[in-house]
């Protein structure tokens, strides 16, 4: 086996590290636009899905979103849009964010114009447990929110309650929780009540 | 030729050599991430085998593990960035498991056992074959789990609606992580039953 | 405080590295022939995890994540080095493992003899790198959180490998179908243990 001097070893590893770092930086810079376009498209798909559009056609989601939705200013500085739903009715989209069990969770809530009834939601998460907390991003859970009421009889904001055990599907202010994921479900509840309170009058 | 085809069957890295199971199984709940993962591992394994083999005579033995780690992680980061750029939704499903290819024992194992002592071309083929052998297991497990767990393949419904009407239910157990292990165990069983493969 | 206990319990039982994420399976299957060696490896993994995760946490927070370099002045604010995460994490792990090996050798010979043979193996153990990557994904607010998480994950891994080794020792006396002997049954047992661990989901 050949002998290598210490100087050679240091130079060798140093050189290798430099070359690799350089190549990676180049690739990172080169791919950045594509990556950012992906993020933008994913956001558009989520909003469209919440509003009830068929999101299978992902390629021009950004263009479609531009056509049906326009950003809406609000005092809270929260990301909001006015959107035209596929059934022709007008709606409001609100970006909601909060904390799950392991990391951030976020999503979009689509409501009717008076912000009193939910038309649809989409949730996303960074790192909830697969099969449990991660189920908040499944259509099966998201569909449970459709038609729920956000205001009480006097028109005041009444946050949704995410209830464990189910059997409340006819309760207009309660949603069945994800089984086995109590903390994530509570996270969703807090996320909705905090974020929506900011934009409700 | 026979030597190179071994990893696909008799010397399958996952089933027989018990290498690289770690990150492998967590992504097999559905077919699509499993296929992408299989391809990523194959690419990383083949290319890093090639590079290490090319520079094998210049690597100081004392730091060879570090050099190998550097080369492998370079390719893994590259693959990760390409996945994020071109198949974003799959890369989200794979999350940290792409990064874990670095510590995948197959890649490091082939570098140590083969690339350090062989010429570039055979090393490339060896890496390719081992990656594919690994990928094969992923794809088989992924197919079974998605088909029986969700009744779909590649997100397209396969199980006919009539089955559900006749009382058939998706087997939710298949989606749970432990099922992947049990399936691999069963695959080993089948492979070992074949007398040609008996050791 | 409650939050820390919560993270600990969850990382030991529910998000168990072996059963929920299959991390560190290679050495888990290879070094579980008897309880004693399994325990040695388990302790070594636990130890390395609790050292590397907090260190990587600090590196991630002050060096790698987007805008993390803000403390270094205005030029650092726009910088995003997150694409270097993998390389830096693995380099840190390899370096720390080397360092630990040397330190343990100097301080305590018995400990070195017990853990020494496992340490080189650990640098390429998926559980270690996986731990750091999950830590990064989970955005822990403080170092203490990441430390507790590391401790919990390590303990979970230790628990898994020791339990598995104990079962395997017993298995020698059971009558297993021939094609299943060896690795086949090992996978299946791990799967069954994983199913058993799923009953902790409710807590």
């Amino acid at each position: 086996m050949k002998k290598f001097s210490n100087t050679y070893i240091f130079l060798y590893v140093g050189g290798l590290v430099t070359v690799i770092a350089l190549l990676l930086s180049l690739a990172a810079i080169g791919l950045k636009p594509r990556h950012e376009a992906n993020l933008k498209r994913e956001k558009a798909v989520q909003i469209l899905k919440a509003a009830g559009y068929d999101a299978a056609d992902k390629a021009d989601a950004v263009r479609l979103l531009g056509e049906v939705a326009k950003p809406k200013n609000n005092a809270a500085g929260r990301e909001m849009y006015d959107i035209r739903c596929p059934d022709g009715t007008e709606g409001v989209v609100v970006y909601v964010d909060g904390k799950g069990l392991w990391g951030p969770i976020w999503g979009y809530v689509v409501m009717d114009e008076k912000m009193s009834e939910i038309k649809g939601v989409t949730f996303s998460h960074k790192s909830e447990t697969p099969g449990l907390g991660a189920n908040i991003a499944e259509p099966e859970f998201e569909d449970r929110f459709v038609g729920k009421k956000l205001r009480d009889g006097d028109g005041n904001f009444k946050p949704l309650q995410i209830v464990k055990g189910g059997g409340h599907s006819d309760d207009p202010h309660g949603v069945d929780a994800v089984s086995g994921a109590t903390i994530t479900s509570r996270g969703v509840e807090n996320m909705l009540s905090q974020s929506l309170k900011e934009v409700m009058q | 030729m026979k030597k190179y085809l071994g990893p696909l069957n008799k010397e399958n890295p996952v089933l027989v050599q018990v290498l690289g199971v770690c990150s492998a199984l967590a992504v097999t709940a559905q077919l699509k991430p499993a296929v992408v993962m299989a391809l990523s591992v194959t690419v990383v394994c083949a290319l890093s085998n090639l590079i290490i083999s090319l520079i094998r005579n210049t690597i100081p033995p004392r730091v060879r593990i570090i050099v190998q780690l550097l080369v492998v992680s370079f390719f893994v980061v590259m693959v990760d960035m390409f996945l994020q750029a071109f198949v974003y939704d799959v890369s989200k499903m794979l999350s940290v498991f792409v990064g874990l290819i670095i510590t995948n024992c197959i890649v490091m194992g082939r570098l140590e056992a083969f690339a350090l002592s062989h010429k570039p071309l055979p090393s490339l083929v060896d890496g390719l074959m081992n990656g594919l052998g690994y990928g094969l297991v992923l794809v088989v497990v992924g197919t079974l789990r998605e088909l029986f767990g969700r009744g779909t393949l590649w997100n397209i419904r396969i199980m006919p609606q009539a089955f559900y009407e006749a009382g058939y239910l998706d087997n939710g157990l298949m989606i749970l992580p432990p099922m992947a292990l049990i399936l691999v165990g069963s695959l080993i069983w089948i492979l070992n039953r074949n007398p040609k493969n008996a050791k | 405080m409650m939050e820390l206990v919560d993270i600990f319990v969850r990382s030991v039982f529910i998000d168990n590295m072996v059963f929920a994420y299959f991390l560190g399976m290679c050495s888990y299957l290879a070094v579980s022939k008897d309880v004693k060696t399994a325990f040695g490896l388990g302790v070594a993994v636990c130890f390395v995890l609790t050292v590397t995760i907090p260190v990587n946490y600090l590196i991630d927070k002050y060096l790698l994540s987007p805008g993390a370099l803000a403390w270094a002045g205005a030029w650092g604010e726009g910088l995003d080095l997150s694409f270097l995460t993998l390389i830096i994490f693995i380099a840190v792990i390899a370096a720390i493992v080397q360092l630990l090996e040397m330190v343990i050798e100097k301080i305590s010979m018995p400990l070195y003899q017990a853990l020494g043979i496992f340490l080189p193996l650990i640098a390429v153990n998926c559980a270690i790198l996986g731990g750091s990557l999950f830590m990064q994904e989970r955005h822990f607010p403080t170092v203490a959180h990441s430390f507790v998480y590391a401790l919990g994950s390590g303990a979970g891994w230790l628990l898994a490998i020791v339990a598995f080794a104990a079962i395997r020792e017993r298995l020698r006396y059971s009558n297993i179908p021939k094609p299943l002997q060896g690795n086949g049954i090992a996978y299946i047992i791990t799967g069954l243990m994983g199913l058993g661990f799923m009953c902790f989901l409710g807590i």
Side-chain angles (χ1 to χ4, degrees), chain B residues 172-188:
Chain B
L173 197 63
M174 278 292 187
I175 301 293
L176 298 178
M179 237 6 240
L181 287 165
I182 296 180
L183 278 177
V184 172
S186 316
L187 278 182
I188 294 182

Side-chain angles (χ1 to χ4, degrees), chain C residues 22-43:
Chain C
F22 311 106
L23 293 181
M25 289 291 293
C26 311
S27 35
Y28 170 85
L29 287 169
V31 195
S32 55
K33 298 265 156 46
D34 67 295
V35 174
K36 223 174 132 213
T37 25
F39 188 74
L41 180 70
V43 171

Side-chain angles (χ1 to χ4, degrees), chain A:
Chain A
M1 198 172 271
K2 266 195 277 179
K3 282 267 184 231
F4 293 93
S5 69
N6 279 343
T7 332
Y8 177 81
I9 294 182
F10 275 115
L11 283 179
Y12 189 85
V13 175
L16 198 63
V17 170
T18 322
V19 170
I20 287 180
L22 207 68
L23 286 175
L24 284 183
S25 318
L26 284 180
I29 295 166
L31 292 173
K32 208 170 178 183
R34 276 204 79 100
H35 190 187
E36 276 165 2
N38 278 332
L39 289 176
K40 215 164 145 189
R41 198 175 60 197
E42 197 202 359
K43 194 170 118 181
V45 168
Q46 288 215 315
I47 298 176
L48 290 175
K49 221 161 74 183
Y53 283 95
D54 184 11
D57 192 12
K58 284 182 185 178
D60 59 24
V62 176
R63 187 190 52 78
L64 182 60
L65 185 72
E67 277 172 19
V68 298
K70 63 173 202 292
K72 179 184 168 111
N73 292 323
N74 60 97
R78 193 158 271 283
E79 188 186 338
M80 280 172 77
Y81 303 87
D82 284 317
I83 195 164
R84 194 175 64 245
C85 293
D87 55 11
T89 55
E90 295 289 324
V92 180
V93 187
V94 181
Y95 171 75
V96 293
D97 58 347
K99 203 170 158 303
L101 166 62
W102 287 118
I105 50 177
W106 66 96
Y108 292 92
V109 177
V110 179
M111 295 167 291
D112 65 353
E113 260 176 305
K114 283 178 259 140
M115 296 210 256
S116 63
E117 189 182 320
I118 292 184
K119 287 163 165 265
V121 295
T122 45
F123 296 126
S124 304
H125 65 96
K126 179 102 189 196
S127 44
E128 300 306 303
T129 315
L132 296 170
N135 284 358
I136 59 164
E138 293 288 323
E140 200 226 326
F141 178 68
E142 290 165 348
D143 288 345
R144 293 179 198 168
F145 286 83
V146 177
K148 298 293 176 190
K149 301 277 189 292
L150 289 166
R151 294 179 194 272
D152 61 13
D154 304 327
N156 297 317
F157 176 50
K158 184 173 180 199
L160 284 178
Q161 301 224 296
I162 302 198
V163 226
K164 209 172 162 182
H168 300 281
S169 55
D170 51 342
D171 178 357
H173 298 289
V175 178
D176 190 10
V178 178
S179 56
T182 319
I183 299 191
T184 312
S185 298
R186 207 182 301 149
V188 174
E189 185 180 301
N190 288 337
M191 163 171 89
L192 290 177
S193 66
Q194 303 280 335
S195 303
L196 292 179
K197 199 162 75 188
E198 286 177 25
V199 295
M200 294 273 189
Q201 301 83 25

Side-chain angles (χ1 to χ4, degrees), chain B residues 9-19 188 191-192 199, chain C residues 183 187:
Chain B
N9 187 6
K10 251 193 286 190
E11 284 159 36
N12 188 294
V14 177
L15 299 182
V16 182
Q17 303 173 24
V18 207
L19 289 178
I188 294 182
L191 191 71
N192 282 355
K199 275 175 278 184
Chain C
N183 293 324
Y187 279 106

